[in-house]
Amino acid sequence: MSPTPLILDVDTGVDDALALLYAAASPEVELIGATTVMGNVTVAQGASRPLVRDHEPFPVVHGERGLGHAELPVPSRAPSSRTAAQFLVESARDRPGEVMLVATGPLTNVALALAEEPRLPDLLAGFALMGGSYAQGGNATPAAEANTWVDPDAAQAVFRGFAGRVETKLPRCVGLDVTQRVQLSREGLASMVAPAPGSSIGTFLGDAVPFYIEFYERTHDFGGACMHDPLALALAIDPSMATWTSTRVEVEADGTWTRGMTVTDLDGIRHSPWPVGWEPEDNALVALDVDAPAFMDVFVHRLRSLVERQT
Ligand code: RIB
Ligand code: CA
């Protein structure tokens, strides 16, 4: 079976970078493009600010440049002259039904692409996002996960834009409910780089990931750093590693305490025989459980194989 064309929309981010490496190590997909969005850091090519509000990056989590202590070589290729939204729309129009989109940052680029092409949900082969928290609290605030908190207006536009599609065309939403259960430990990192620690990828992992692990060691007792974005990609490739529920999500954009909260109707209250004020159509497939050991095994194995190929 030929690999599925994949676009990753990232706000790199150490875990975004690990998702890019996971894509390179996964035979099921062919990475045809990466688009950038503000979030963990500030960017130039994709959306550099949210749709409506101001933006503050998260250097404490990922470092000033978003990659811990890693220094990357000067890129050998120039970025596309197209905006991220243009690239997303043109890729989907050029290859209808073929391209998988995975967003691992705020949904600003996806919202801009939807505004340009409302048929985007139908043109994509599939769409998965790392963002939100559907049956638990947040991480940027007690109510909101970071990606939907940074640009709640974009997140709301995306959930509205996908509403009413058949289940295979709904966004696969990979939120904190499952991403906080998959952590990369220092031992797991050591296993990844063991075949060639001095190689370019081995060196990058050794320079970038410890900064991210140290953040979690200071702030949580998870035993490692959450692999939010690699899990979103892995579940887009193999949804069987998670348990999914089709539902409706509305994103709070204005609440003082709840800005960015992904309000999720898991009990179907929107269908009640009184005026609830919610549209009835489902607009999301949310992951509520995950086989964490199965994911960590394939994740560490594939990145280790990528390092091995450098020897
Ligand atoms: O809340 C976690 C998400 O916010 C991840 O995608 C991380 O990279 C940051 O973007
Ligand atoms: Ca991210």
Side-chain angles (χ1 to χ4, degrees), residues 11 13 15-16 40 62 104-106 130 139 145-147 176 212 228-229:
D11 69 323
D15 60 329
D16 302 74
N40 290 318
H62 298 269
T104 62
M130 192 282 134
N139 59 354
E145 179 279 326
N147 289 334
L176 299 179
Y212 187 50
H228 303 288
D229 298 341

Side-chain angles (χ1 to χ4, degrees), residues 41-310:
V41 294
T42 300
V43 296
Q45 295 308 322
S48 57
R49 50 165 294 112
L51 293 184
V52 174
R53 48 204 74 228
D54 294 332
H55 165 242
E56 281 302 319
F58 292 83
V60 67
V61 182
H62 298 269
E64 287 299 329
R65 297 160 47 87
L67 294 173
H69 299 299
E71 292 290 334
L72 289 182
V74 175
S76 56
R77 292 173 57 182
S80 163
S81 58
R82 291 181 283 181
T83 67
Q86 287 168 339
F87 176 71
L88 296 179
V89 169
E90 290 169 14
S91 301
R93 283 177 179 157
D94 292 349
R95 303 174 76 168
E98 293 183 36
V99 177
M100 178 193 290
L101 171 62
V102 178
T104 62
L107 290 167
T108 315
N109 290 334
V110 181
L112 291 169
L114 263 170
E116 188 173 330
E117 177 49 89
R119 297 175 302 148
L120 189 67
D122 313 304
L123 294 172
L124 290 170
F127 173 49
L129 64 93
M130 192 282 134
S133 53
Y134 302 94
Q136 68 162 64
N139 59 354
T141 74
E145 179 279 326
N147 289 334
T148 55
W149 181 77
V150 167
D151 197 342
D153 308 277
Q156 179 64 347
V158 169
F159 281 110
R160 292 273 169 95
F162 274 80
R165 292 322 196 277
V166 296
E167 193 164 291
T168 53
K169 294 287 189 176
L170 290 178
R172 287 195 178 275
C173 302
V174 182
L176 299 179
D177 315 86
V178 291
T179 66
Q180 287 184 335
R181 298 188 211 170
V182 291
Q183 300 100 19
L184 181 64
S185 64
R186 290 180 181 278
E187 295 73 23
L189 174 61
S191 169
M192 277 182 189
V193 303
S199 65
S200 57
I201 295 179
T203 301
F204 170 75
L205 290 169
D207 291 345
V209 181
F211 185 103
Y212 187 50
I213 291 177
E214 284 158 20
F215 165 77
Y216 277 94
E217 287 172 341
R218 287 198 310 275
T219 57
H220 297 73
D221 59 354
F222 284 159
C226 292
M227 292 293 104
H228 303 288
D229 298 341
L231 181 62
L233 174 56
L235 293 182
I237 293 171
D238 179 6
S240 70
M241 288 193 287
T243 305
W244 304 89
T245 297
S246 183
T247 184
R248 188 175 185 91
V249 176
E250 298 288 350
V251 182
E252 177 54 60
D254 301 316
T256 301
W257 308 112
T258 53
R259 164 194 156 181
M261 181 177 183
T262 41
V263 186
T264 310
D265 185 24
L266 292 172
D267 295 330
I269 293 175
R270 67 191 180 284
H271 303 306
S272 303
W274 56 79
V276 177
W278 279 47
E279 298 296 329
E281 293 84 6
D282 288 5
N283 62 1
L285 265 178
V286 300
L288 293 178
D289 197 2
V290 65
D291 183 343
F295 163 71
M296 287 309 300
D297 285 351
V298 68
F299 174 58
V300 172
H301 172 77
R302 287 191 176 187
L303 264 69
R304 180 185 169 99
S305 68
L306 209 55
V307 173
E308 251 163 5
R309 295 207 297 256
Q310 299 238 296

Side-chain angles (χ1 to χ4, degrees), residues 11-38:
D11 69 323
T12 302
V14 174
D15 60 329
D16 302 74
L18 292 171
L20 285 163
L21 289 174
Y22 189 78
S26 297
E28 301 89 345
V29 294
E30 176 204 349
L31 188 63
I32 62 170
T35 50
T36 57
V37 65
M38 86 279 135

